Amino acid sequence: MDETPKPPLTRIQRENRARIREAALEAFTRHDLCGGLRGVTLDKIALVAGLTKPNILYYYASKDAIYSDLLENLLEEWLLPLKEISPDGEPLAEIQNYVRRKLRLSIEKPRESKLFATEILHGAPLTAATLSGYLKDLVDEKAALIERWIKQGQLAPIDPYHLIFSIWAMTQHYADFDVQVRAILGAEKTKRLPDEASVFFDTLCARLLTPSK
Amino acid sequence: MDETPKPPLTRIQRENRARIREAALEAFTRHDLCGGLRGVTLDKIALVAGLTKPNILYYYASKDAIYSDLLENLLEEWLLPLKEISPDGEPLAEIQNYVRRKLRLSIEKPRESKLFATEILHGAPLTAATLSGYLKDLVDEKAALIERWIKQGQLAPIDPYHLIFSIWAMTQHYADFDVQVRAILGAEKTKRLPDEASVFFDTLCARLLTPSK
DNA sequence: AATAAATTTGCCCAGATGGTCAAAAATTAT
DNA sequence: ATAATTTTTGACCATCTGGGCAAATTTATT
């Protein structure tokens, strides 16, 4: 395989390779330098859409405008399950139901999940305002509800914000990291995934949130 | 704000806008069409590194070679905490320790976490082989260990694979989605994040994994 | 100091990319 | 049928991008 006699790296080689690695890492997460939604070209979109490029630009002012639109429409649907957590239901069942709905959304619409993940991952250039406005308000509201349930002894005490983050993280993981999940589970276990994950999450919620007494 | 009288969309407008959105979504997650590591140019890397572009290509054969190198070095460090789960320790403590180490890694090295997330998110073009080889073997081994602990009654029964996925998802969430987390938590609560998250995860592990009897 | 080797740079290029524009084609209204 | 409007397209452009290359510069060797 390795045919080169592998000349040992000189001092300068080592230093600069390290420097480059560091710079690549830095540049990679510096939003002021990096784009974000690059990688998908207008030509590709046009090809898939079966339209010509100028035709696409006839409908959208720019490429970014397409993604803005996409993300806007996305967020609404994405937050529906959280919105539907009701103060009137049985607390544990409400949360288990939320998790189930969120998981189903992730498994059924992995593309949307990935788009959103990429947007956030790259610093949310198009949705930052919505996150700290609309989304924050919604989460604050639901966190307060969970807090109330805890105070009334209907749920075991837990930080509601981190609970919500965990639910987001765990459910979206199956969409965003599906390549990894599939690689590790193998073909058969992947087929049983939706059911097994559901059971896992039900168990997790029950053990985590059932009041001890 | 909105000055345009907003001419109502025609049928064709609505149809094609939807068509374009659909195509953008499709193209976005089609690995055969999309690149992946685009967005960070050699020029930007060069700028940050303080080197000229040809100079960078003197050290790395291509842009992709930089990322391959980066990802290779990354994976080793990233899997260390998992590797260190020991069959000789107290089961719950071993897992809590693992989670703590993983969380610290995420919080201290968010750039690495994000790079890896992007790679997986875009279909793991450079690491697919490692995932289904080295990584799968490692996870299989640790899953078997957890299974053994469960059989001996030292941990509450749970699917070990989904347990590991959840730990990955939850801990990396704080790095990969930091923008969202910060937007929702606000400044003060963000400052307390590392501690609060630690407490949250300890509680979660304890409730989830302590055998019922 | 002279020479050999390693490193850095300026200059160039071909292809891709986002976007423009005026003209052509299709649709709708009269 | 014809005029007005909307939609579609071919051709074009400036810029950016990854990368090549030979000359110039720096560093190590003798």
Side-chain angles (χ1 to χ4, degrees), chain A residues 11-12 38 50-56 58-59:
Chain A
R11 176 179 51 87
I12 303 182
R38 307 289 157 72
L51 300 173
T52 58
K53 190 167 55 172
N55 201 5
I56 285 182
Y58 174 75
Y59 289 104

Short mmCIF file of all heavy atoms in Angstrom, two decimals, chain A residues 11-12 38 50-56 58-59, chain D residues 6-13 16-17 27-28:
data_model
loop_
_atom_site.label_atom_id
_atom_site.label_comp_id
_atom_site.label_asym_id
_atom_site.label_seq_id
_atom_site.Cartn_x
_atom_site.Cartn_y
_atom_site.Cartn_z
N ARG A 11 11.10 20.04 10.69
CA ARG A 11 10.50 20.90 11.72
C ARG A 11 9.45 21.81 11.10
O ARG A 11 8.32 21.90 11.55
CB ARG A 11 11.60 21.73 12.38
CG ARG A 11 11.10 22.74 13.41
CD ARG A 11 12.29 23.49 14.03
NE ARG A 11 13.18 24.05 13.00
CZ ARG A 11 13.02 25.23 12.43
NH1 ARG A 11 12.01 25.99 12.76
NH2 ARG A 11 13.89 25.66 11.53
N ILE A 12 9.84 22.47 10.01
CA ILE A 12 8.93 23.41 9.35
C ILE A 12 7.70 22.70 8.83
O ILE A 12 6.59 23.23 8.91
CB ILE A 12 9.67 24.13 8.20
CG1 ILE A 12 10.91 24.84 8.75
CG2 ILE A 12 8.75 25.12 7.51
CD1 ILE A 12 11.67 25.62 7.73
N ARG A 38 -23.46 27.05 1.32
CA ARG A 38 -22.74 26.67 0.12
C ARG A 38 -22.78 25.16 -0.06
O ARG A 38 -23.12 24.44 0.87
CB ARG A 38 -21.27 27.14 0.20
CG ARG A 38 -21.11 28.58 0.51
CD ARG A 38 -21.53 29.47 -0.67
NE ARG A 38 -21.89 30.80 -0.21
CZ ARG A 38 -21.03 31.69 0.23
NH1 ARG A 38 -19.75 31.41 0.26
NH2 ARG A 38 -21.44 32.86 0.63
N GLY A 50 -35.96 20.53 -12.55
CA GLY A 50 -36.36 20.45 -13.95
C GLY A 50 -36.69 21.81 -14.53
O GLY A 50 -37.51 21.95 -15.42
N LEU A 51 -36.03 22.82 -14.01
CA LEU A 51 -36.22 24.20 -14.51
C LEU A 51 -34.86 24.75 -14.91
O LEU A 51 -33.82 24.19 -14.57
CB LEU A 51 -36.84 25.08 -13.43
CG LEU A 51 -38.20 24.67 -12.88
CD1 LEU A 51 -38.57 25.55 -11.70
CD2 LEU A 51 -39.25 24.75 -13.97
N THR A 52 -34.87 25.85 -15.66
CA THR A 52 -33.60 26.48 -15.96
C THR A 52 -33.22 27.43 -14.82
O THR A 52 -34.08 27.88 -14.06
CB THR A 52 -33.68 27.29 -17.26
OG1 THR A 52 -34.70 28.28 -17.11
CG2 THR A 52 -33.98 26.40 -18.44
N LYS A 53 -31.95 27.74 -14.76
CA LYS A 53 -31.47 28.59 -13.67
C LYS A 53 -32.13 29.96 -13.67
O LYS A 53 -32.60 30.41 -12.61
CB LYS A 53 -29.95 28.70 -13.75
CG LYS A 53 -29.33 29.35 -12.55
CD LYS A 53 -27.82 29.16 -12.50
CE LYS A 53 -27.12 29.64 -13.75
NZ LYS A 53 -25.65 29.62 -13.61
N PRO A 54 -32.18 30.65 -14.81
CA PRO A 54 -32.82 31.97 -14.78
C PRO A 54 -34.28 31.87 -14.36
O PRO A 54 -34.83 32.81 -13.77
CB PRO A 54 -32.71 32.46 -16.22
CG PRO A 54 -31.64 31.66 -16.83
CD PRO A 54 -31.63 30.34 -16.15
N ASN A 55 -34.85 30.76 -14.66
CA ASN A 55 -36.25 30.58 -14.29
C ASN A 55 -36.41 30.51 -12.77
O ASN A 55 -37.38 31.03 -12.21
CB ASN A 55 -36.79 29.31 -14.94
CG ASN A 55 -38.29 29.32 -15.04
OD1 ASN A 55 -38.92 30.31 -14.70
ND2 ASN A 55 -38.86 28.24 -15.49
N ILE A 56 -35.48 29.88 -12.15
CA ILE A 56 -35.52 29.83 -10.70
C ILE A 56 -35.36 31.22 -10.12
O ILE A 56 -36.05 31.62 -9.18
CB ILE A 56 -34.42 28.88 -10.18
CG1 ILE A 56 -34.86 27.43 -10.42
CG2 ILE A 56 -34.16 29.11 -8.71
CD1 ILE A 56 -33.91 26.41 -9.93
N TYR A 58 -36.25 33.79 -11.42
CA TYR A 58 -37.46 34.56 -11.69
C TYR A 58 -38.41 34.46 -10.50
O TYR A 58 -39.16 35.38 -10.21
CB TYR A 58 -38.12 34.04 -12.96
CG TYR A 58 -39.45 34.65 -13.27
CD1 TYR A 58 -39.54 35.94 -13.78
CD2 TYR A 58 -40.62 33.94 -13.05
CE1 TYR A 58 -40.76 36.50 -14.07
CE2 TYR A 58 -41.85 34.50 -13.33
CZ TYR A 58 -41.93 35.78 -13.84
OH TYR A 58 -43.14 36.33 -14.12
N TYR A 59 -38.31 33.36 -9.79
CA TYR A 59 -39.22 33.13 -8.66
C TYR A 59 -38.62 33.51 -7.31
O TYR A 59 -39.32 33.86 -6.39
CB TYR A 59 -39.67 31.68 -8.63
CG TYR A 59 -40.61 31.36 -9.76
CD1 TYR A 59 -40.20 30.66 -10.87
CD2 TYR A 59 -41.92 31.81 -9.70
CE1 TYR A 59 -41.07 30.39 -11.91
CE2 TYR A 59 -42.80 31.55 -10.73
CZ TYR A 59 -42.38 30.84 -11.84
OH TYR A 59 -43.24 30.60 -12.86
P DT D 6 -48.73 40.71 -15.29
OP1 DT D 6 -49.46 40.85 -14.01
OP2 DT D 6 -47.60 41.61 -15.62
"O5'" DT D 6 -48.24 39.20 -15.41
"C5'" DT D 6 -49.21 38.17 -15.56
"C4'" DT D 6 -48.53 36.91 -16.04
"O4'" DT D 6 -48.04 37.09 -17.38
"C3'" DT D 6 -47.33 36.48 -15.20
"O3'" DT D 6 -47.52 35.15 -14.79
"C2'" DT D 6 -46.14 36.66 -16.14
"C1'" DT D 6 -46.80 36.43 -17.49
N1 DT D 6 -46.10 37.02 -18.67
C2 DT D 6 -45.70 36.18 -19.70
O2 DT D 6 -45.87 34.98 -19.68
N3 DT D 6 -45.09 36.82 -20.74
C4 DT D 6 -44.85 38.18 -20.89
O4 DT D 6 -44.31 38.62 -21.88
C5 DT D 6 -45.30 38.99 -19.78
C7 DT D 6 -45.09 40.47 -19.82
C6 DT D 6 -45.90 38.38 -18.73
P DT D 7 -46.52 34.41 -13.82
OP1 DT D 7 -47.30 33.43 -13.04
OP2 DT D 7 -45.70 35.44 -13.15
"O5'" DT D 7 -45.60 33.60 -14.84
"C5'" DT D 7 -46.20 32.62 -15.67
"C4'" DT D 7 -45.21 32.12 -16.68
"O4'" DT D 7 -44.76 33.19 -17.53
"C3'" DT D 7 -43.94 31.49 -16.10
"O3'" DT D 7 -43.90 30.16 -16.56
"C2'" DT D 7 -42.80 32.35 -16.66
"C1'" DT D 7 -43.43 32.90 -17.92
N1 DT D 7 -42.89 34.17 -18.47
C2 DT D 7 -42.32 34.18 -19.72
O2 DT D 7 -42.20 33.19 -20.40
N3 DT D 7 -41.87 35.41 -20.14
C4 DT D 7 -41.96 36.62 -19.46
O4 DT D 7 -41.54 37.66 -19.94
C5 DT D 7 -42.57 36.53 -18.15
C7 DT D 7 -42.71 37.78 -17.33
C6 DT D 7 -43.00 35.33 -17.72
P DT D 8 -42.80 29.15 -16.07
OP1 DT D 8 -43.38 27.80 -16.11
OP2 DT D 8 -42.23 29.70 -14.83
"O5'" DT D 8 -41.71 29.23 -17.22
"C5'" DT D 8 -42.07 28.84 -18.53
"C4'" DT D 8 -40.92 29.08 -19.48
"O4'" DT D 8 -40.73 30.50 -19.63
"C3'" DT D 8 -39.58 28.52 -19.02
"O3'" DT D 8 -39.22 27.49 -19.92
"C2'" DT D 8 -38.63 29.71 -19.05
"C1'" DT D 8 -39.37 30.72 -19.92
N1 DT D 8 -39.12 32.16 -19.62
C2 DT D 8 -38.63 32.98 -20.61
O2 DT D 8 -38.39 32.59 -21.74
N3 DT D 8 -38.46 34.30 -20.23
C4 DT D 8 -38.71 34.85 -18.98
O4 DT D 8 -38.52 36.04 -18.76
C5 DT D 8 -39.20 33.93 -17.99
C7 DT D 8 -39.51 34.43 -16.61
C6 DT D 8 -39.39 32.65 -18.35
P DT D 9 -37.88 26.67 -19.72
OP1 DT D 9 -38.08 25.35 -20.34
OP2 DT D 9 -37.48 26.79 -18.31
"O5'" DT D 9 -36.85 27.49 -20.61
"C5'" DT D 9 -37.22 27.81 -21.95
"C4'" DT D 9 -36.17 28.71 -22.57
"O4'" DT D 9 -36.31 30.06 -22.07
"C3'" DT D 9 -34.73 28.29 -22.29
"O3'" DT D 9 -34.06 28.05 -23.50
"C2'" DT D 9 -34.12 29.48 -21.54
"C1'" DT D 9 -35.02 30.62 -21.99
N1 DT D 9 -35.10 31.74 -21.02
C2 DT D 9 -34.85 33.02 -21.45
O2 DT D 9 -34.57 33.30 -22.59
N3 DT D 9 -34.95 33.99 -20.47
C4 DT D 9 -35.26 33.77 -19.14
O4 DT D 9 -35.33 34.71 -18.35
C5 DT D 9 -35.51 32.40 -18.75
C7 DT D 9 -35.86 32.08 -17.34
C6 DT D 9 -35.42 31.46 -19.71
P DG D 10 -32.84 27.08 -23.63
OP1 DG D 10 -33.28 25.90 -24.39
OP2 DG D 10 -32.24 26.92 -22.29
"O5'" DG D 10 -31.84 27.94 -24.52
"C5'" DG D 10 -32.34 28.66 -25.65
"C4'" DG D 10 -31.40 29.79 -25.99
"O4'" DG D 10 -31.58 30.89 -25.05
"C3'" DG D 10 -29.93 29.42 -25.93
"O3'" DG D 10 -29.24 30.05 -27.02
"C2'" DG D 10 -29.46 29.98 -24.57
"C1'" DG D 10 -30.37 31.20 -24.39
N9 DG D 10 -30.70 31.49 -22.99
C8 DG D 10 -31.00 30.57 -22.02
N7 DG D 10 -31.29 31.13 -20.86
C5 DG D 10 -31.17 32.49 -21.10
C6 DG D 10 -31.36 33.59 -20.23
O6 DG D 10 -31.69 33.58 -19.04
N1 DG D 10 -31.14 34.80 -20.88
C2 DG D 10 -30.79 34.94 -22.20
N2 DG D 10 -30.62 36.18 -22.64
N3 DG D 10 -30.61 33.91 -23.02
C4 DG D 10 -30.82 32.72 -22.41
P DA D 11 -27.71 29.77 -27.25
OP1 DA D 11 -27.53 29.65 -28.71
OP2 DA D 11 -27.26 28.68 -26.35
"O5'" DA D 11 -27.06 31.14 -26.77
"C5'" DA D 11 -27.66 32.38 -27.16
"C4'" DA D 11 -26.96 33.52 -26.44
"O4'" DA D 11 -27.52 33.65 -25.10
"C3'" DA D 11 -25.46 33.33 -26.27
"O3'" DA D 11 -24.80 34.52 -26.69
"C2'" DA D 11 -25.28 33.05 -24.79
"C1'" DA D 11 -26.45 33.80 -24.17
N9 DA D 11 -26.91 33.27 -22.89
C8 DA D 11 -27.08 31.96 -22.54
N7 DA D 11 -27.51 31.79 -21.31
C5 DA D 11 -27.64 33.09 -20.82
C6 DA D 11 -28.05 33.60 -19.59
N6 DA D 11 -28.44 32.83 -18.56
N1 DA D 11 -28.05 34.95 -19.44
C2 DA D 11 -27.67 35.70 -20.46
N3 DA D 11 -27.26 35.34 -21.68
C4 DA D 11 -27.27 34.01 -21.79
P DC D 12 -23.22 34.67 -26.65
OP1 DC D 12 -22.85 35.53 -27.78
OP2 DC D 12 -22.63 33.32 -26.47
"O5'" DC D 12 -23.00 35.49 -25.30
"C5'" DC D 12 -23.78 36.66 -25.05
"C4'" DC D 12 -23.55 37.11 -23.63
"O4'" DC D 12 -24.27 36.26 -22.72
"C3'" DC D 12 -22.09 37.07 -23.19
"O3'" DC D 12 -21.61 38.39 -23.03
"C2'" DC D 12 -22.10 36.29 -21.87
"C1'" DC D 12 -23.57 36.29 -21.50
N1 DC D 12 -23.98 35.08 -20.69
C2 DC D 12 -24.43 35.27 -19.40
O2 DC D 12 -24.51 36.41 -18.94
N3 DC D 12 -24.78 34.18 -18.66
C4 DC D 12 -24.70 32.96 -19.19
N4 DC D 12 -25.06 31.92 -18.43
C5 DC D 12 -24.23 32.75 -20.53
C6 DC D 12 -23.88 33.83 -21.23
P DC D 13 -20.05 38.63 -22.73
OP1 DC D 13 -19.64 39.86 -23.46
OP2 DC D 13 -19.31 37.37 -22.94
"O5'" DC D 13 -20.05 38.95 -21.18
"C5'" DC D 13 -21.08 39.74 -20.61
"C4'" DC D 13 -20.89 39.79 -19.11
"O4'" DC D 13 -21.55 38.67 -18.49
"C3'" DC D 13 -19.41 39.71 -18.72
"O3'" DC D 13 -19.11 40.76 -17.82
"C2'" DC D 13 -19.28 38.33 -18.06
"C1'" DC D 13 -20.69 38.10 -17.53
N1 DC D 13 -21.03 36.65 -17.38
C2 DC D 13 -21.51 36.19 -16.16
O2 DC D 13 -21.64 36.98 -15.21
N3 DC D 13 -21.81 34.87 -16.03
C4 DC D 13 -21.65 34.04 -17.07
N4 DC D 13 -21.97 32.76 -16.91
C5 DC D 13 -21.16 34.50 -18.33
C6 DC D 13 -20.87 35.80 -18.44
P DC D 16 -14.71 37.99 -5.93
OP1 DC D 16 -15.12 38.58 -4.66
OP2 DC D 16 -13.43 38.37 -6.57
"O5'" DC D 16 -14.74 36.40 -5.77
"C5'" DC D 16 -16.01 35.76 -5.66
"C4'" DC D 16 -15.82 34.27 -5.76
"O4'" DC D 16 -15.57 33.88 -7.13
"C3'" DC D 16 -14.66 33.72 -4.92
"O3'" DC D 16 -15.15 32.61 -4.20
"C2'" DC D 16 -13.61 33.35 -5.99
"C1'" DC D 16 -14.49 32.96 -7.17
N1 DC D 16 -13.88 33.06 -8.53
C2 DC D 16 -13.99 31.96 -9.40
O2 DC D 16 -14.55 30.94 -9.02
N3 DC D 16 -13.45 32.06 -10.65
C4 DC D 16 -12.85 33.19 -11.04
N4 DC D 16 -12.35 33.24 -12.27
C5 DC D 16 -12.73 34.31 -10.16
C6 DC D 16 -13.27 34.22 -8.93
P DT D 17 -14.35 31.99 -3.02
OP1 DT D 17 -15.31 31.55 -1.99
OP2 DT D 17 -13.23 32.90 -2.70
"O5'" DT D 17 -13.78 30.68 -3.70
"C5'" DT D 17 -14.68 29.76 -4.32
"C4'" DT D 17 -13.88 28.70 -5.03
"O4'" DT D 17 -13.48 29.20 -6.32
"C3'" DT D 17 -12.58 28.34 -4.31
"O3'" DT D 17 -12.74 27.09 -3.70
"C2'" DT D 17 -11.52 28.33 -5.40
"C1'" DT D 17 -12.30 28.54 -6.69
N1 DT D 17 -11.61 29.46 -7.65
C2 DT D 17 -11.30 29.00 -8.89
O2 DT D 17 -11.56 27.88 -9.26
N3 DT D 17 -10.67 29.93 -9.69
C4 DT D 17 -10.32 31.22 -9.36
O4 DT D 17 -9.76 31.96 -10.16
C5 DT D 17 -10.68 31.63 -8.04
C7 DT D 17 -10.35 33.03 -7.56
C6 DT D 17 -11.29 30.75 -7.25
P DT D 27 15.07 31.47 6.67
OP1 DT D 27 14.03 31.44 7.70
OP2 DT D 27 16.16 32.48 6.71
"O5'" DT D 27 15.72 30.02 6.59
"C5'" DT D 27 14.87 28.89 6.44
"C4'" DT D 27 15.72 27.67 6.18
"O4'" DT D 27 16.41 27.80 4.92
"C3'" DT D 27 16.78 27.37 7.23
"O3'" DT D 27 16.54 26.08 7.75
"C2'" DT D 27 18.11 27.47 6.46
"C1'" DT D 27 17.66 27.14 5.05
N1 DT D 27 18.51 27.66 3.93
C2 DT D 27 19.06 26.76 3.05
O2 DT D 27 18.90 25.57 3.13
N3 DT D 27 19.81 27.33 2.04
C4 DT D 27 20.06 28.69 1.83
O4 DT D 27 20.74 29.07 0.89
C5 DT D 27 19.45 29.57 2.80
C7 DT D 27 19.65 31.04 2.67
C6 DT D 27 18.71 29.02 3.80
P DA D 28 17.41 25.50 8.93
OP1 DA D 28 16.53 24.70 9.79
OP2 DA D 28 18.22 26.59 9.50
"O5'" DA D 28 18.37 24.51 8.16
"C5'" DA D 28 17.83 23.34 7.58
"C4'" DA D 28 18.89 22.63 6.76
"O4'" DA D 28 19.44 23.54 5.78
"C3'" DA D 28 20.08 22.10 7.56
"O3'" DA D 28 20.29 20.75 7.18
"C2'" DA D 28 21.25 23.00 7.15
"C1'" DA D 28 20.83 23.40 5.74
N9 DA D 28 21.35 24.68 5.26
C8 DA D 28 21.16 25.91 5.82
N7 DA D 28 21.73 26.90 5.15
C5 DA D 28 22.31 26.27 4.06
C6 DA D 28 23.05 26.76 2.97
N6 DA D 28 23.33 28.05 2.80
N1 DA D 28 23.48 25.85 2.06
C2 DA D 28 23.18 24.54 2.24
N3 DA D 28 22.49 23.98 3.23
C4 DA D 28 22.08 24.90 4.11
#
